[in-house]
Amino acid sequence: MALKCAVELRLADIIHSHNGPIILHQIASGIDSPSPDILYLSRIMRSLVRKKIFSEHCPTDGGETIYELTHVSRWLLHDVELSLAPMVLMQNHPWVVAPWYYLSQCVKEGGIAFKKAHACDVWEFASQNPEFNKLVNDSMACTTKIVMMAILAEYKAGFDCIGSLVDVGGGTGGMISEIVRSHPQIRGIDFDLPHVIATAPLHEGVSHVGGNMFEAIPCADAIFMKFVLHDWDHEDCIKILRNCRKAILEKTGKLIIVDIVLEKDSHDLFDDTRMVFDLMMMAHSSGGKELTELEWKEFLKGGFPGYKITKIPAIPFIIEAYPM
């Protein structure tokens, strides 16, 4: 909540705008309020300094404490190319926090936590609520830019032989536009639900197609899915994979999945976050979960018997799946 407060008050932006360390009263003067409470602000800053979101320095001459950005707080800046501010706001919004309070009820009786909180699943809620839809789209777009850097660096050659690529669940087209920008030979198709596509901006080399992945997916040389399958239960995943298999034009085509692979004995930088993602699927998805490699193999074997997993310096992995 303190982190959410910092993003809402644009504390990182205020410090950044001064191009150097500033005192508490200078931070307060930049807040959009005629009378900010300095004591509350000091307590918020103290907590965030403790978490190394900001840094503080106390002058030896007894002057006022000064505050600076750290490498972490630079991810909280607004209106910059790479920012996690929209994700912080989305994950800590009351609509998104509410389902977490139903986890114990889900353990006792099953069911979908998001439905228990809002009487519909997350996709229905987004289609009926433009504000929530924007909240989700903005958060997905900001993380897409960050993950895309790792994908293009580690998997660049994987796109070289593709003529057409469908991004299933591609949101407003941020991911597929980055791929096409780096590989202009690709004809990109951004595929998502109609209410999502309705808000998508124009991207050069990318066409937007509205539809339902449970019914049909546009045909292409390859299919791309980032953080899609983990949202759904086993039966729904099989339906999606079958439609992916039908949509791949050639037997030499492939399915490119960007998603989490849980590893029991790994201890890299993102392991804790991957476990939290699994709990987040309990709270927000329609029966989804994060999978181990063995579970991925079981999912894929019906339509994509061949696969290769590539670990990248990011939360997700790249899973290439082949129909032959």
Side-chain angles (χ1 to χ4, degrees):
M1 290 300 109
L3 190 65
K4 176 176 180 280
C5 174
V7 173
E8 290 177 328
L9 297 177
R10 292 178 173 254
L11 301 184
D13 298 270
I14 293 168
I15 298 173
H16 182 66
S17 68
H18 282 74
N19 297 312
I22 60 174
I23 62 174
L24 196 64
H25 280 79
Q26 289 175 302
I27 298 175
S29 67
I31 295 174
D32 183 21
S33 169
S35 55
D37 190 302
I38 296 293
L39 180 57
Y40 279 163
L41 177 61
S42 70
R43 291 161 67 184
I44 291 291
M45 292 300 294
R46 179 173 62 188
S47 175
L48 294 173
V49 166
R50 178 80 173 186
K51 292 290 187 180
K52 297 182 173 56
I53 305 298
F54 298 106
S55 65
E56 68 175 9
H57 304 280
C58 302
T60 55
D61 60 4
E64 291 190 60
T65 300
I66 57 175
Y67 298 89
E68 289 186 276
L69 299 182
T70 65
H71 72 282
V72 176
S73 47
R74 292 186 182 278
W75 289 102
L76 305 181
L77 294 170
H78 294 73
D79 306 320
V80 294
E81 183 65 21
L82 298 177
S83 171
L84 284 172
M87 179 57 76
V88 172
L89 293 177
M90 192 272 280
Q91 289 293 349
N92 294 285
H93 193 284
W95 288 327
V96 177
V97 172
W100 288 95
Y101 288 93
Y102 290 84
L103 291 189
S104 59
Q105 193 172 329
C106 287
V107 170
K108 290 179 179 179
E109 61 191 33
I112 306 299
F114 199 94
K115 278 188 175 182
K116 293 178 186 295
H118 298 295
C120 63
D121 69 25
V122 64
W123 315 115
E124 293 174 272
F125 195 71
S127 68
Q128 298 164 8
N129 186 327
E131 185 181 349
F132 181 70
N133 186 50
K134 185 178 187 306
L135 200 68
V136 172
N137 288 343
D138 288 350
S139 68
M140 294 299 104
C142 82
T143 53
T144 288
K145 291 179 182 179
I146 297 165
V147 172
M148 198 65 233
M149 293 173 63
I151 292 173
L152 290 176
E154 301 292 325
Y155 187 70
K156 186 175 182 180
F159 297 111
D160 286 346
C161 298
I162 297 173
S164 57
L165 180 68
V166 178
D167 187 358
V168 176
T172 54
M175 178 70 83
I176 190 68
S177 68
E178 290 294 324
I179 295 172
V180 170
R181 187 177 294 117
S182 297
H183 298 77
Q185 89 281 359
I186 293 177
R187 177 174 60 86
I189 302 168
D190 173 37
F191 180 67
D192 213 311
L193 293 168
H195 72 268
V196 177
I197 294 299
T199 66
L202 294 175
H203 297 292
E204 186 175 351
V206 175
S207 59
H208 297 290
V209 177
N212 187 328
M213 62 187 174
F214 292 105
E215 297 172 0
I217 293 170
C219 293
D221 296 330
I223 306 294
F224 184 92
M225 288 193 293
K226 179 179 77 69
F227 287 146
V228 171
L229 293 174
H230 73 168
D231 285 327
W232 304 96
D233 63 23
H234 183 89
E235 184 177 331
D236 284 333
C237 284
I238 296 303
K239 292 177 184 177
I240 296 168
L241 290 170
R242 282 175 182 161
N243 286 335
C244 286
R245 179 64 189 87
K246 293 175 185 177
I248 294 176
L249 294 173
E250 303 291 340
K251 292 183 178 180
T252 55
K254 60 184 174 181
L255 171 62
I256 305 165
I257 301 168
V258 177
D259 220 318
I260 286 171
V261 179
L262 294 179
E263 299 177 298
K264 184 178 180 181
D265 298 318
S266 176
H267 301 285
D268 73 21
L269 179 64
F270 300 106
D271 275 338
D272 285 348
T273 305
R274 293 182 188 120
M275 288 296 178
V276 171
F277 262 64
D278 187 49
L279 295 179
M280 188 167 67
M281 293 303 100
M282 289 177 62
H284 298 155
S285 74
S286 299
K289 59 181 289 191
E290 305 301 352
L291 306 176
T292 65
E293 181 175 348
L294 286 176
E295 288 171 322
W296 275 113
K297 183 178 181 180
E298 182 66 22
F299 263 141
L300 294 169
K301 69 179 183 182
F304 298 90
Y307 74 93
K308 180 176 75 173
I309 295 178
T310 302
K311 195 168 189 175
I312 61 175
I315 292 170
F317 293 62
I318 296 173
I319 306 165
E320 268 188 335
Y322 319 105
M324 293 293 290

